[in-house]
Amino acid sequence: MENRAVYPGFFDPITNGHVDIIARGLKLFGGIIIAVLKNPKKRALFSTKERVAMIQDIFAREPKISIQAFDGLLVDFARKNQARIVIRGLRAISDFEYEFQMALMNRKLDEGTETLFMMPSVGYSFLSSRMVKEVFLLGGDVHDLVPEVVEKNLREKLKKGKFVLSQ
Ligand code: PNS
């Protein structure tokens, strides 16, 4: 996989906004590694395994995508996987400060890593994993906001009474 980028995130769960960024990234890169943060300190609705499995399902027919869970520093993960570009989606001004800090910290940690910001379709500029969970929990329709497999998994969590809103 040459000309490879990494697209990191928590993805609890992956949304159509993330999928939109990945599709745009595929036009630029020979391969994209979707790096799913394992984070035992952060309470998540879905386990790392569940988050990875949903993403695998979505991109099962896309040979240019690989999916890996990671912990530790993102720059170390990127270097180990020969990816020098980190893709991040930028939705609104409110994202900017955090993303700017993160990009500069990553550059400080490894001068060889560059961050590339990409804008999603305007229709997803309001979308976040946190909003999806809240809307779904309160009975709203998330059909247009997440891939089918995610909607199915959200329904299952609710049915099993395992729906937590934390992130
Ligand atoms: O989906 P998110 O929560 O916006 O993703 C954040 C993520 C996973 C990109 C970020 O938390 C991360 O890179 N974590 C790994 C730890 C790290 O490298 N920290 C230093 C850079 S801030």
Side-chain angles (χ1 to χ4, degrees), residues 8-11 18 35 37 42 70 72-75 88 98-99 101-102 105-106 109 167:
F10 199 52
F11 303 114
H18 296 123
L37 182 70
K42 203 165 174 176
F70 83 105
L73 287 176
L74 174 64
V75 289
R88 291 290 290 170
Y98 169 62
E99 294 296 337
Q101 277 182 338
M102 195 157 65
M105 178 56 79
N106 283 335
L109 293 167
Q167 199 190 350

Side-chain angles (χ1 to χ4, degrees), residues 38-92:
K38 295 183 207 168
N39 195 341
K41 276 185 240 140
K42 203 165 174 176
R43 259 188 98 202
L45 174 59
F46 294 103
S47 68
T48 305
K49 215 168 138 193
E50 289 170 328
R51 287 179 283 135
V52 167
M54 284 187 273
I55 302 172
Q56 269 164 346
D57 184 282
I58 295 160
F59 295 104
R61 284 159 199 268
E62 180 45 79
K64 285 162 72 182
I65 297 281
S66 64
I67 301 122
Q68 286 189 52
F70 83 105
D71 51 15
L73 287 176
L74 174 64
V75 289
D76 290 341
F77 174 85
R79 200 183 312 108
K80 266 185 232 142
N81 287 282
Q82 288 100 44
R84 309 317 284 135
I85 307 287
V86 173
I87 300 174
R88 291 290 290 170
L90 209 49
R91 290 164 300 189

Side-chain angles (χ1 to χ4, degrees), residues 43-166:
R43 259 188 98 202
L45 174 59
F46 294 103
S47 68
T48 305
K49 215 168 138 193
E50 289 170 328
R51 287 179 283 135
V52 167
M54 284 187 273
I55 302 172
Q56 269 164 346
D57 184 282
I58 295 160
F59 295 104
R61 284 159 199 268
E62 180 45 79
K64 285 162 72 182
I65 297 281
S66 64
I67 301 122
Q68 286 189 52
F70 83 105
D71 51 15
L73 287 176
L74 174 64
V75 289
D76 290 341
F77 174 85
R79 200 183 312 108
K80 266 185 232 142
N81 287 282
Q82 288 100 44
R84 309 317 284 135
I85 307 287
V86 173
I87 300 174
R88 291 290 290 170
L90 209 49
R91 290 164 300 189
I93 296 286
S94 51
D95 280 343
F96 183 76
E97 198 167 332
Y98 169 62
E99 294 296 337
F100 186 72
Q101 277 182 338
M102 195 157 65
L104 291 184
M105 178 56 79
N106 283 335
R107 182 186 286 168
K108 164 107 184 83
L109 293 167
D110 181 353
E111 272 291 335
T113 302
E114 281 299 335
T115 303
L116 175 72
F117 292 110
M118 300 187 76
M119 268 66 72
S121 297
V122 75
Y124 298 134
S125 56
F126 60 91
L127 186 55
S128 69
S129 300
R130 156 92 217 176
M131 282 267 181
V132 163
K133 289 182 282 192
E134 186 167 327
V135 168
F136 183 82
L137 186 62
L138 299 175
D141 184 6
V142 297
H143 185 74
D144 291 347
L145 309 179
V146 291
E148 228 176 287
V149 63
V150 172
E151 197 183 357
K152 182 172 145 259
N153 278 269
L154 286 167
R155 250 185 269 118
E156 275 165 22
K157 282 274 174 206
L158 197 61
K159 217 166 33 179
K160 288 182 190 153
K162 289 192 174 163
F163 212 111
V164 284
L165 255 188
S166 48

